[in-house]
Structures are given as structure tokens and as C-alpha cells.
Amino acid sequence: MTPTGCLAVVPALTHNTLVVAAGVAAVGCAAGVVGSLSLLRKRPLIGDAAAHSTLVGVATAFVLTGRRDLPTLLTGALVAAVAGLATLVLVRRFTRTRDDAATAIVIGVGFGLGIALLSGITARGLPGSAGLEQFLLGHTAALTARDAVVLGIVSVATVTVVLLGLKEATLVAFDADFAAATGWPVGLIDQALVTLVAVRVVVGLPAAGAVRVTALVVSPPVAARQWTDRVPTLLVLGGVFGLVAAVAGVAVSAVVPRMPTGPLVVLSAAAICIVSLVIAPRRGWLARRRQRIAFEPPRS
Amino acid sequence: MNMVLADWSIDGATAMHAWAIATAATVAAACALVGTLLVVRRMSLLGDAIGHAVLPGIAVAVLVGGRPGSPLVFAAAVATGLLTVWLTRLVRSAGGLADDAGTGVVFTTLFALGVVIVTAAASRVDIDPSCLLYGILELVPFDTVSIGGVEVPRGFVSAAIVLAVLAAAAIATWKLQVFTAFDADAARAAGVPVAAVTGGLLAATALATVAGFEVVGAVLVVAMLVVPAAAAELLVRRLHHMALVAMVLAIVGACLGYLAAWRWNASAAGMIAVVLGIEYAAAVVLAPDDGLVARGLGRLRYAWRVLCEDRLAAVWRAEEKGTAAAVPVSLVQRLAVGWLWLTGRFVGPAGRLALSPAGRREAEMVVRSHRLWEAWLGQHAQLPLDHLHPPAEWVEHHLGAAMRQRIEAEVGGIGDPHGSEIPPEA
Amino acid sequence: MPTPTRQSRLPGRLPQEADVADAGSSAPPVVEFHDVTVAYGGRPVLWNVDLTIAEPCLFGIIGPNGAGKSTLLKSALGLVPLVHGTARFWGRPLAEVRGRVGYVPQRETVDWDFPVSVTDVVLMGTYGRLGWFRRPGSRERSLARECLDRVGLIDVADRQIGRLSGGQQQRVFLARALAQEADVYFLDEPMAGVDARSQEQIFGVLAGLRSEGRLVVVVHHDLRTAAAWFDRVALIDMRLVATGPTAEVLTPDNLRRTYAGQVDLLQEIGQAVAARGRTP
């Protein structure tokens, strides 16, 4: 993964930049793969609900343990993300509230609780609480080599799980009724997918922050969908686009002074997405327009 | 933070807090009004998208010289909000995407763009991105304009104007909004300008979001838009009641949230969202019709009624056959018998209970329902004779007098399929 | 139950063996609904259905819109919870015989823009047998090709499913069910929105399954074709109105009871049941 050769070419690429690049690339790649699955299941925004719930976990983990190393805080974030998604399921199950409103409630209230806890911690000046709000927007430059390794391992693990269960996930995403009728535990498979999304979001936190990690899960899969009609290709392209966006973002922020990495990664992903939406063969805007012109008689 | 509420006097600090609370409550009410329509039209996530996406608009407006909080910045933000909606539709139709995916792509991108602009121009623009996320309610009272000699916070003025505009628009177009929300196709067929109505709602959302954005920040606007409206939906059935209840919940949430934040020294915006969430949870539990408590009680009440009616019918049937009724075995059955005795439907000493006239009437109606239903099923559904009893055992508890007479007219006095007599209506 | 009799045969029908329901065999019936009641949100939509399909045949479930035909099918497959009653296959619960039960859902229930090819969809029929984590191999692939051939779609095997006509999409679903290699097939409105040629083709495949000794249960709404296609039918309108050999069941009286029936009464009682209260 380490493009050592680049070191000589671009002097701005320091050791730290490379570490960050490797970590963010792993995160971006895995986010694209998992995001493709949740796009197929037609739930692209469950990641957003998970992401906005994570702050509660970060704050709670810090208060409970008094530690602020990445694994501790991310474990807290994961618990909170899963709890947020579980709330979503409960609201759907036991109330008349519609799906979109339920998602918005989890996003708004989860984030509000997180902000309230973080602000309370900061106001009390607890030792070591200074940098916690970096999870809000991400603070890529603060990644250490150890953090990058953790992120890489978790990313590889999630991608492996996806590849292992691809057959089951595709079946449930395409036709849940048929899957249930043939004996597959649809609820269990859905829960596994939701957990994967939660893991993805949590791993993306240090790089992109709670607010923008959604972009990593949504944009690359949407871009990939424009280019292919097959699930395996979709996953590969989603992963590649996520990786390219991550690396491009890190590279630009290394070259241009004072540019934050997180937003640049998101913008790179968006650029790939926009280009794909316009020029992709058959599904792209240009291709559709050409088809329409070919079919419609010219208006006089 | 050892002040208590009683310590408040009319001094500068209190006035500051009062202005902040008033501003938050005004914004919350405006958001809840718009949110009601968003929730019933399944557009709840639009507020989320607009709340994030206005950042670049604000950043550019500030960059070209607009003062934060000025009408120019406000207008730029609203315009960006509408642009977001338009872009979402464009992405969706260009990519043939699901709604959520289009929204997700557009708002995350615009938000990132905003952060990049803000960071790039950090020397010239004084915007703190995290402030945009959770607002600066605490600072609202410090930025004032003079109105008739009174120093009024700028944020309160703009919030009040937005609320007034939205309320006026809502009153003027409410019927059209309701019709469109209920059935857009029928509304279009009836000549309602559905596109204009929806456009108006989107503009109102942008307006409310931007007003809320200044006070509680981007993400928490979602809470203000959606949570009170969703809670109100659980509490009342009519749309205009829902709007009013949502506004009340929002105002209460804003006040309590601010006080809680002040008490525990935390972010006011965050606490307001938390209080709104608690209100929603309370609605889930306590809602009169289908709250968890009401549902649980309804289930218990039904189980109790079934138990009592079954005991009455059992004694009646035993009398009919001339045998002794089965002795109640379980504790709840004995409790039911005790209750029936207390309420005068059983009479006599323990061990030799008999039906009172009232109890007999009730028992006869249960048995009548049972046998009528067996007769109906025997005639209208293809069921073997021995399968008629279990469904009747269930439906007997749900038939009223009018329905029994209807069924009797239909089965035409052929009697119970097992040959028993059907008791007459009381 | 009415005693089944030989029914009049229409010309051009395939020969059929399984018209006699109670031939005195002691084998348990293929499918047996026992007092099945299904409710959505507490409100019953299907009341006390007792239906036995003793032997393999082409079986039609007929009734008006909203009569609960699809619900009955789904209740057999465990897709909707039963308020009471049981559905059994060969006298055993569904969980024990899942592999022998095939299913063709309604075409509108899936997103046809989904990025899978025709072959991918047909392979899904083999997933139940494959179990967790195992991928389809060469045996499954050749089976999928066979099934596609049988429904006449071998030429479009690699196409994305959205680029097919409605009739072709329905046949993809049929091929997927064939790949399940089941003994009982449930089809939910397979003829809805399908052109006449595809209808004939689908019917041909179903008749073939019957002649192989499999039971085919079809939810159907078109009375004219029903009389020609099915050996036995059940008339459903929130309850079972009549069942038996087609010619005996499709009488004017039964049809009137099905299509202008007692639904408002059942709906009123259903509301009272959902509210745990009483009707007026």
C-alpha cells in the first residue's frame, strides 16, 4: 500500500502523510464495499443514523474509562452506533412513526445527546478532554501509525465478512420474501448488514468525523452503480472509488497548505460520483439524453 | 453552578437568558409547524439535507462581505437550501436512484464544500465549522438591534419574522397543503396547483431550517423539525391539531432544554434535542390510543372481559344441559368469578353460585353470539362441523346487538348447526 | 365436502391423473390448511380457512381483489404470522420440508433495476440447498441453464433483469422456482400483466410440472382462463367459499357468493377484533 516511490517525486509527502493515506485508503475502500451493500438493500442512510449516534459513545467511553486512546473511544462509538440503529428498529416496530421520521429522530436526538455530553465534558475541563470534539469533523492529521494499522485490520475484516456472506446478502437485498420463503433468516442477515455499516461508520470516524462519514458510505457506491449491472463488479468498483477518493483527498491536502483532509476526501468522492452520473455508458445522464433524442421525434 | 431558579432576579443575566429562551422557542415553533407537513409527507430527511447543505451558501455570502446574521447571508442560505432540493432531484433523475441515495450524495458533498471554503478563507471569514453544527444559542442575546429604543437580539427578530411569515402562509394555504399531503394525485385532478404547494413547503422548510440553523446548528434543526411533529402524530389524529400540539411540544422542549443546559452547564442546542427526544419517548409510552401503556391496558382489559364472559357462558351452558358447571381452576378464573359476584352477576353462597337476572342476560348474549357465528360460518364458509367451535369461541366476544340481528336475518332462523337453540336477543 | 366427480374435459388438455381427492389412500395430504386465520395489525383479513389439497394437481386459488388469496399463499410459506391454525405439508410442518416447497412471488415485489443477470436470479433458487456461505458451482450453473431453457429464456441468460419484458421477467421467476427442484409450487399471480404468449408458455411449464407428479398452486384472478387451466380450485373471499373440482366449484351461485359476498360483515367484525371491542 505504501507508495514509497512517490516520496521522491512529491516532497510534501512526509512519513505522516503516508500513514494517514494508508489508513484513510483502507477506510475508504471498505466503506465503498459495505456502502454498496446498503445501497442494494435500499437503506443508504442507515449509516447516517449510525454516524450521528456515535458521539454519545465517544463521550460515554471517555467519561467511564478516563482514557482517550482510539480503540477505547471507537469501542464506545460502536456500542452507541448499534444502540442508535436498535432504537430505529424499535421505533419502527412499536410505533406508527414512519421510517424517514424515525431515521431523522435518531439522527437529531442522538447527535443532540452527543453534543450535550461533549459540551458538558469540555465545560468541566476533565483532563484529556481537549481533543474529543475532533470526532465531530474528523481530524485526519492526528492519526498515528498504530491507528492506521487498527483501521486497516478492521477494514480488511469487514471486507472479508462481506465477501463471505455476499450470496446471502444479495438474495435478501433482491427479494426478501423469496429468501424468507426458502428458509433464510432475513432478520438475522439484515442485522448483520446493519452491524457492518455501524462498524464501517465507526472506523471512518477518526478520518472523516461523525458528520461526513456518511459521504464515504453513500457516494462511491452511487458512482459505482452507474458503471455496472452486476453485484460483484459493483462491490469492487465501490471499493476502488472509495480508495481513490481517500488517496486523492489526502494527496491534495498534503500539497495545498491548510486544507482539511476529511472534506477533501468527501469532495473527491463527490467528483467521482458526479462524473459517473454524467458520463457513464447507458445509465449516465448523457447516455440517457442521447437515447431520448434517438427515440423522440424532433420537436418543431 | 449552584444557582437555583429562585435566585433569578430581573437583572442583565436573566434578561439574556430570557432572550435566548424566547429565541429558541420561536425557532422551535416555526420548525415544528413546517415539520408537521414534512412528517406526514414522508419528507423528514429533507431538513437534514438542507441543514447541512446551506453551509457553502453562508460561507460564500460571508466571503463577499455579508455580516453573519444579516439579511444577505440569510437569503443566500435559503437560496442554497432550495438549490439542494433541486440538485437532489437532478441527481436522482440522472442516476435513477432511490430518494435517500440522492439526498445522501448531495448534502454530504455540499457540506464538505462548505467546510473547504471556510477553511480556505479562514483568515477572512470567522466561521467555526463546529459552531455551525451545534449553534450559538448562548451568544444570540449579545448581537442586538434597537427596536423602538429596546435592544432586541437580532436572532430573535429574524426568528420572529420567520415564524410570522410561516404561520401566515400556513393559515392561508392549509387546506391545499392538507389535500396535497393526503393524496397528491386527487389534489392535482381537483385543480390544486400541487407543484406550487410542494414548492411552497420546500421554501418554508428552507426558511425554517436557516432560522433554526443560526440558533441550534445544522444537525439539531432536524430534531426541531421532525421530533415534535412525530410525537404529536402519536398523540392526535387531525392534521391541524398535530401542528398545534407539535408547536406546543417544541416550545416546551426549547424552554426546558435551555434550562437543563444552563443547570448542567452543557450545550443548549444539544439539551433541547435531548428534551425533545424525551418528549417523543413519553408520547410513545403514554399516547392515548396506541401508546405502549394504552395498548397494554387494552390487552389486559380485553383478556379480563373474555375471562368473565367465558365464566358466565360456562355456567349458562351447564344450566342448559342440567349439569354442574366446571369449577374454576386457575387463580385468575377464581378472581373473575369473585368479580362477577361482587358486581351482582352471580348470586348465592360460595360453592353454589347461580346467575343473577343480569348475569343471565349477559351470558345469553355471549352464547347467542357464539351460536349465531357457528351458524353463519356453517352457511358461508366451507368448514367441517367440528371446526366451527374454535372460531366462534373467539368471535363471540366481538359481536354487538345490531350485528347479531344482521347475522340472524342472514342465517334465517335455521338454528345452531350442532342442533342447540339460539337464545333470543335481550 | 362435496364428493369429487369426474369433470368435463376441454379439448386439447393434457391428460391428468390426479382428479380424485379421497381415493382412500392413507398418505397424508400434500398441503393442508387447518382453520387458518391471518390478521394484519390485529385485523383479520382471512377467516378460518380449512383447505386440503390431497394430491398433486394444478390448483387455482380464485377470488376478487383484496380477498386474501396471496395472504393464504404466504400463510403456507410462513411469510405472515397466523392468528390461529396450522399449514402442514405431507402432515409435517413447513420447517421440515422447506426444500420441497417452491415459491414464485408477485413480480412487483422486487426492484427490477437490481444489478443482477437473469442467470444470477435463477441461481438464487439453488441457494436454499447450498446453505450458508457455499457458492453455486458447475452443477448449479447447468441446472440454471436447464431451467432457463425450459421457460424459453436461454437467449437472454446474461442480460440484466431490468431489460426484459414483463412476461420474460415472470418467466425468470418461474425458472428460479424450477431451480428449487421442489415438489410443491406456490405461484402468486403469475399471469398478471403478462402477454398472451407468455401466459401460454407459463401454463405449459406448469402443466409439465403436474404431469411430473408435482402440486402447483396458483393464485389467479381471471375466471375465463381459470376454468380452462385448473383441475381443482378454491374460491376465496376473506373466507373459503367453496373448493373442489373446477367445474363443480365455478357455478353461478358460488361465484355470486364470492364476488358479491359477505365481505362487509367480515370487515366490520374484523375492525371490532382489531380494536378488541364490539361491533355495534
Side-chain angles (χ1 to χ4, degrees):
Chain A
M1 178 99 298
T2 338
T4 1
C6 296
L7 256 177
V9 186
V10 187
L13 285 178
T14 59
H15 169 71
N16 195 47
T17 315
L18 288 177
V19 169
V20 170
V24 176
V27 167
C29 177
V33 173
V34 174
S36 299
L37 272 193
S38 66
L39 182 70
L40 288 178
R41 191 69 181 115
K42 309 257 178 300
R43 290 172 188 171
L45 286 187
I46 51 169
D48 207 29
H52 283 92
S53 315
T54 51
L55 282 186
V56 181
V58 170
T60 313
F62 173 74
V63 171
L64 290 182
T65 64
R67 289 163 49 177
R68 49 157 308 161
D69 55 313
L70 204 53
T72 309
L73 297 185
L74 289 193
T75 308
L78 181 62
V79 172
V82 171
L85 294 173
T87 312
L88 198 56
V89 172
L90 289 180
V91 168
R92 278 182 190 153
R93 171 99 174 65
F94 288 108
T95 74
R96 291 192 276 128
T97 304
R98 296 173 188 82
D99 273 11
D100 61 324
T103 312
I105 289 171
V106 171
I107 290 176
V109 177
F111 194 70
L113 186 57
I115 294 287
L117 288 174
L118 277 188
S119 59
I121 291 171
T122 315
R124 277 158 188 74
L126 296 180
S129 67
L132 280 184
E133 69 277 4
Q134 75 181 40
F135 282 94
L136 218 54
L137 290 168
H139 191 45
T140 324
L143 280 184
T144 64
R146 223 183 105 224
D147 296 341
V149 170
V150 171
L151 298 184
I153 290 173
V154 178
S155 296
V156 170
T158 45
V159 171
T160 311
V161 172
V162 169
L163 293 183
L164 206 62
L166 186 56
K167 181 188 79 185
E168 288 76 11
T170 312
L171 177 68
V172 168
F174 174 63
D175 192 347
D177 261 4
F178 181 80
T182 44
W184 292 97
V186 172
L188 189 76
I189 295 171
D190 261 342
Q191 276 162 23
L193 174 61
V194 163
T195 312
L196 274 181
V197 171
V199 171
R200 268 326 324 138
V201 161
V202 167
V203 173
L205 270 190
V211 183
R212 279 186 310 252
V213 71
T214 312
L216 289 180
V217 189
V218 177
S219 294
V222 167
R225 181 65 186 88
Q226 296 306 109
W227 297 94
T228 176
D229 274 338
R230 295 292 180 275
V231 173
T233 325
L234 177 73
L235 293 187
V236 171
L237 278 181
V240 169
F241 287 162
L243 191 144
V244 169
V247 172
V250 173
V252 173
S253 77
V255 175
V256 183
R258 284 195 298 108
M259 268 298 161
T261 314
L264 286 175
V265 172
V266 174
L267 285 185
S268 312
I272 296 173
C273 191
I274 290 165
V275 170
S276 305
L277 284 170
V278 174
I279 68 160
R282 284 209 298 110
R283 294 180 67 90
W285 178 74
L286 281 178
R288 279 170 195 244
R289 219 179 128 203
R290 214 175 300 128
Q291 272 171 10
R292 218 173 305 143
I293 290 169
F295 282 121
E296 272 174 22
R299 284 188 207 133
S300 49
Chain B
M1 196 53 55
N2 48 13
M3 273 204 286
V4 289
L5 285 175
D7 290 344
W8 278 30
S9 51
I10 305 298
D11 58 15
T14 312
M16 289 292 167
H17 286 309
W19 277 125
I21 291 177
T23 310
T26 313
V27 164
C31 284
L33 178 59
V34 178
T36 303
L37 289 170
L38 290 180
V39 165
V40 294
R41 292 192 67 176
R42 300 166 191 270
M43 290 157 64
S44 303
L45 290 167
L46 200 64
D48 190 21
I50 294 180
H52 284 89
V54 291
L55 181 55
I58 292 180
V60 169
V62 172
L63 211 57
V64 298
R67 241 171 52 81
S70 68
L72 169 69
V73 174
F74 202 87
V78 173
T80 322
L82 292 176
L83 179 74
T84 313
V85 177
W86 181 73
L87 277 178
T88 305
R89 299 211 162 152
L90 193 70
V91 167
R92 214 163 61 202
S93 63
L97 294 171
D99 242 20
D100 283 6
T103 313
V105 170
V106 170
F107 84 77
T108 53
T109 304
L110 284 177
F111 186 74
L113 187 66
V115 173
V116 167
I117 294 175
V118 169
T119 324
S123 53
R124 288 194 289 147
V125 187
D126 186 24
I127 301 179
D128 174 2
S130 54
C131 256
L132 292 169
L133 285 175
Y134 51 87
I136 38 161
L137 186 53
E138 292 84 348
L139 299 183
V140 163
F142 294 101
D143 180 15
T144 59
V145 288
S146 180
I147 296 177
V150 184
E151 290 292 307
V152 180
R154 195 186 292 275
F156 177 75
V157 174
S158 59
I161 293 173
V162 167
L163 177 60
V165 169
L166 291 181
I171 291 167
T173 66
W174 190 254
K175 277 193 179 139
L176 299 182
Q177 290 288 1
V178 173
F179 197 178
T180 309
F182 176 66
D183 186 345
D185 287 339
R188 195 175 291 116
V192 174
V194 170
V197 169
T198 307
L201 178 59
L202 295 177
T205 310
L207 208 58
T209 306
V210 174
F213 184 88
E214 293 200 319
V215 178
V216 292
V219 184
L220 299 177
V221 168
V222 189
M224 280 195 168
L225 278 171
V226 178
V227 182
E233 196 185 27
L234 300 177
L235 295 173
V236 291
R237 294 278 178 177
R238 308 270 304 275
L239 198 57
H240 61 277
H241 294 165
M242 191 178 146
L244 292 175
V245 171
M247 287 167 78
V248 170
L249 287 176
I251 291 170
V252 171
C255 298
L256 292 182
Y258 188 90
L259 292 176
W262 177 69
R263 167 73 184 75
W264 284 297
N265 201 0
S267 150
M271 282 315 262
I272 290 174
V274 171
V275 172
L276 292 177
I278 293 172
E279 285 179 355
Y280 176 78
V284 168
V285 175
L286 299 174
D289 283 343
D290 44 15
L292 296 182
V293 170
R295 271 195 270 177
L297 282 180
R299 215 163 278 187
L300 272 180
R301 207 177 301 128
Y302 174 65
W304 183 250
R305 181 161 71 83
V306 168
L307 200 63
C308 290
E309 291 180 357
D310 282 349
R311 287 324 303 163
L312 288 171
V315 173
W316 192 92
R317 285 201 182 92
E319 268 183 24
E320 187 190 37
K321 268 191 265 174
T323 57
V327 182
V329 276
S330 69
L331 179 65
V332 281
Q333 278 178 335
R334 271 181 232 177
L335 276 177
V337 169
W339 168 251
L340 288 168
W341 182 78
L342 273 177
T343 52
R345 284 173 282 184
F346 277 141
V347 287
R352 286 193 294 115
L353 286 176
L355 290 163
S356 71
R360 180 175 311 280
R361 249 197 321 281
E362 230 177 283
E364 274 174 4
M365 287 314 100
V366 176
V367 175
R368 175 175 156 80
S369 298
H370 183 101
R371 294 185 179 167
L372 279 173
W373 191 245
E374 286 189 333
W376 191 91
L377 275 181
Q379 212 172 67
H380 289 282
Q382 206 174 43
L383 274 175
L385 214 53
D386 60 327
H387 283 187
L388 293 177
H389 182 73
E393 206 43 24
W394 172 48
V395 170
E396 66 184 12
H397 303 292
H398 295 288
L399 298 185
M403 179 60 77
R404 283 194 294 263
Q405 257 151 358
R406 234 175 102 187
I407 295 172
E408 190 168 36
E410 266 179 32
V411 297
I414 53 160
D416 170 72
H418 299 291
S420 315
E421 197 183 323
I422 297 179
E425 188 71 39
Chain C
M1 253 187 222
T3 331
T5 51
R6 305 300 295 178
Q7 65 186 96
S8 61
R9 288 274 161 69
L10 293 161
R13 296 271 316 268
L14 285 157
Q16 49 195 32
E17 311 101 79
D19 263 4
V20 185
D22 41 3
S25 64
S26 59
V30 184
V31 182
E32 186 183 23
F33 295 91
H34 181 88
D35 192 20
V36 164
T37 297
V38 184
Y40 290 129
R43 178 180 308 193
V45 290
L46 196 63
W47 294 76
N48 312 109
V49 171
D50 245 49
L51 175 62
T52 305
I53 307 175
E55 288 182 19
C57 62
L58 250 174
F59 193 97
I61 296 179
I62 320 277
N65 282 332
K69 306 184 295 283
S70 300
T71 304
L72 181 63
L73 216 67
K74 288 181 181 169
S75 75
L77 293 159
L79 297 179
V80 290
L82 304 185
V83 177
H84 26 78
T86 49
R88 295 172 86 82
F89 298 82
W90 302 282
R92 287 190 285 173
L94 175 67
E96 290 177 21
V97 293
R98 257 228 223 243
R100 297 174 66 188
V101 181
Y103 178 42
V104 177
Q106 283 184 23
R107 191 157 52 88
E108 297 80 47
T109 54
V110 303
D111 167 23
W112 290 93
D113 193 37
F114 201 87
V116 284
S117 72
V118 170
T119 308
D120 292 337
V121 174
V122 177
L123 280 172
M124 287 178 189
T126 67
Y127 287 5
R129 261 195 318 281
L130 282 172
W132 288 96
F133 308 128
R134 270 184 54 209
R135 295 293 157 86
S138 58
R139 194 194 96 78
E140 281 75 23
R141 296 199 168 275
S142 67
L143 174 65
R145 290 191 69 80
E146 256 171 56
C147 297
L148 277 174
D149 198 25
R150 219 165 144 183
V151 300
L153 286 181
I154 199 77
D155 296 336
V156 294
D158 291 323
R159 223 182 260 182
Q160 196 265 332
I161 50 169
R163 308 172 71 204
L164 301 175
S165 73
Q168 286 175 320
Q169 289 177 345
Q170 193 65 62
R171 281 185 277 152
V172 174
F173 266 14
L174 184 57
R176 178 176 69 175
L178 292 178
Q180 288 184 268
E181 297 186 308
D183 294 316
V184 178
Y185 284 97
F186 288 103
L187 295 90
D188 201 346
E189 296 275 10
M191 307 299 186
V194 168
D195 58 286
R197 220 179 58 92
S198 281
Q199 286 201 5
E200 281 303 320
Q201 201 155 10
I202 291 169
F203 175 67
V205 174
L206 299 185
L209 286 171
R210 172 193 46 193
S211 60
E212 289 167 12
R214 300 174 210 260
L215 170 63
V216 181
V217 182
V218 182
V219 167
H220 196 63
H221 64 279
D222 185 1
L223 279 172
R224 283 166 308 165
T225 46
W229 283 343
F230 299 118
D231 308 325
R232 304 173 71 81
V233 294
L235 283 174
I236 301 266
D237 189 21
M238 294 186 76
R239 84 276 185 206
L240 180 64
V241 177
T243 182
T246 309
E248 275 177 25
V249 171
L250 297 184
T251 60
D253 186 48
N254 276 342
L255 291 176
R256 191 179 45 72
R257 291 206 298 149
T258 311
Y259 283 84
Q262 304 292 329
V263 178
D264 51 338
L265 188 135
L266 286 173
Q267 271 169 350
E268 259 180 63
I269 300 175
Q271 256 167 15
V273 168
R276 298 197 179 83
R278 283 185 212 274
T279 61

